[in-house]
């Protein structure tokens, strides 16, 4: 039987992980979904907002993609024609390293109605929740959000450019290239520049380390910090509102205090 609903795609940002960091508009989109296609970084508790929808996982688990991007694009179109309203639920914001615009473009080619619901990107929400202010008067006048791994698996050249500025730099998908990133900073800046790495930010499983260009790799390795994580580099990290409390809890040996000249 032919579907009588208008085929529609809504691209929805789910936020960084804490279920309360989704928007009301996203919840409404989920409530009206006929099918939800969701990614690995999405907190699965959010699927409860779509009790009447078919739910399909299309992300990456244990390093393997459940579907290629081409297959996801085709799935969106075929599912919209079959069921009606497809919600494509992605971690953070769909337009920040989320390929949301590619999916919209593809759907438009096939005549689907489309809509976008912004989400809180991990690039902004994770540092904020950890008390790191990306800009601060007299300390950082701007921030960069850069991918550590480009589509051809290289380190983005923007990291070299950003390391020469006084800006705060937030690197996503950078953990596999941490050593390369730190050596660029060692060439262009001083070893004492503060760095934070936050894994699973805003989730119950959040882990973080704060150190400097010269200490952070060891600290991250000791705590087994790995993807998904963001790397925040810049003087603002030193001024995080939770830093003192954090150090008291985790680094009572004062090792890092000395490194940061606190
Ligand atoms: C493909 S990108 C997607 C980013 C997403 N669209 C956003 O706006 O947050 C995936 C990367 O985002 C970062 N990321 C996403 N959620 C995170 C979280 N809760 N904590 C730390 N990093 C996160 C990690 O660097 C991860 O490798």
């Amino acid at each position: 039987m032919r579907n009588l609903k208008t085929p529609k795609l809504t691209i929805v940002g789910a936020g960084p992980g804490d279920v309360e960091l989704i928007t009301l508009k996203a919840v409404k989109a989920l409530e009206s979904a006929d099918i939800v296609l969701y990614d690995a970084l999405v907190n699965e508790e959010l699927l409860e907002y779509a009790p009447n929808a078919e739910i399909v996982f299309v992300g990456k688990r244990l390093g393997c993609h459940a579907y290629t991007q081409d297959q996801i694009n085709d799935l969106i179109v075929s599912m919209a024609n079959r069921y009606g309203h497809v919600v494509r639920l992605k971690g953070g914001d769909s337009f920040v390293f989320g390929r949301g615009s590619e999916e919209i473009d593809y759907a438009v080619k096939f005549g689907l109605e489309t809509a976008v619901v912004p989400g809180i990107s991990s690039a902004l929400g994770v540092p904020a929740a950890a008390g790191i202010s990306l800009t601060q008067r007299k300390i950082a006048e701007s921030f960069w959000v850069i991918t550590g791994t480009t589509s051809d698996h290289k380190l983005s050249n923007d990291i070299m450019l950003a390391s020469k500025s006084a800006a705060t730099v937030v690197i996503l998908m950078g953990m596999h290239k941490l050593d390369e990133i730190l050596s660029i900073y060692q060439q262009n800046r001083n070893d004492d520049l503060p760095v934070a790495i936050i894994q699973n930010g805003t989730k119950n499983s959040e882990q973080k380390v704060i150190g400097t260009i010269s200490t952070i790799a060891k600290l991250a390795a000791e705590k087994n910090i790995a993807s998904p994580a963001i790397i925040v580099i810049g003087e603002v990290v030193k001024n995080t509102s939770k830093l003192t409390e954090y150090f008291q809890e985790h680094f009572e040996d004062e090792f890092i205090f000395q490194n940061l000249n606190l």
Side-chain angles (χ1 to χ4, degrees), residues 103-122:
E103 293 176 11
I104 292 272
D105 290 349
Y106 192 83
V108 166
K109 267 199 239 156
F110 287 85
L112 266 59
E113 252 184 44
T114 62
V116 178
V117 179
I120 297 179
S121 174
S122 63

Side-chain angles (χ1 to χ4, degrees), residues 21 35 38 91 101 157 178 188 209 212-213 240 257:
L21 290 177
I35 176 159
Y38 75 101
S101 60
N157 191 46
L178 184 60
N188 295 320
V209 280
T212 65
I213 293 290
T240 153
F257 276 110

Side-chain angles (χ1 to χ4, degrees), residues 16 41 91-93 96-97 121-122 126 172-173 198 200-201 228-230:
L41 288 175
D93 182 85
V96 178
F97 305 123
S121 174
S122 63
V126 169
L172 276 64
M173 295 172 280
I198 308 166
N200 291 326
I230 59 159

Side-chain angles (χ1 to χ4, degrees), residues 2 9 13 54 59 73 164 181 190 208 210 212 215 234 240 242:
R2 209 181 113 64
L9 166 66
E54 289 281 321
N73 291 349
K164 293 179 179 170
I181 293 166
N190 60 351
K208 66 185 164 203
I210 300 178
T212 65
T215 61
T240 153
K242 292 188 179 165

